[in-house]
Amino acid sequence: KAGYYDVYFHLYKMRMRGRDRGDDKGNYNFIIHGDDGPEEAALDIQNAETGWNHLGSFYFSPDTAKIELSNKTQLRMVFADAVKIVEL
């Protein structure tokens, strides 16, 4: 159904031991493809919550919703868990 939708990304923050305790600094970078063309969104990992994080609101037609997670980041690893699209 065409309309505006909130887009969320589910983030799982790993608990690490030793020197690197998972205090990574950097962004997950997304490209959200909707009716208005591709739009970039970033999620600051250090300030993000474990669980669902809001990426923004976008207009989608029934066949245009596409969310990409880029590997272009300062982080050592990128984990993709889940995306949720909620009709407004």
Side-chain angles (χ1 to χ4, degrees):
K1 176 174 157 182
Y4 282 95
Y5 292 81
D6 278 338
V7 177
Y8 297 86
F9 178 75
H10 192 271
L11 178 67
Y12 172 72
K13 288 189 175 182
M14 293 179 46
R15 302 277 188 242
M16 297 185 172
R17 300 176 187 258
R19 257 185 24 217
D20 182 7
R21 296 180 189 215
D23 295 331
D24 287 329
K25 295 179 183 167
N27 294 328
Y28 274 13
N29 297 297
F30 299 87
I31 301 173
I32 291 93
H33 299 268
D35 282 31
D36 297 329
E39 294 184 46
E40 294 183 4
L43 181 62
D44 179 356
I45 297 305
Q46 189 172 26
N47 296 320
E49 298 290 327
T50 295
W52 293 107
N53 290 269
H54 187 249
L55 297 178
S57 299
F58 305 90
Y59 189 89
F60 296 117
S61 289
D63 62 346
T64 61
K66 178 180 171 184
I67 315 317
E68 292 183 74
L69 172 59
S70 170
N71 64 353
K72 295 178 182 172
T73 182
Q74 307 87 350
L75 299 164
R76 291 186 308 149
M77 293 181 274
V78 176
F79 295 95
D81 191 2
V83 171
K84 177 169 63 171
I85 302 171
V86 179
E87 185 178 10
L88 294 176

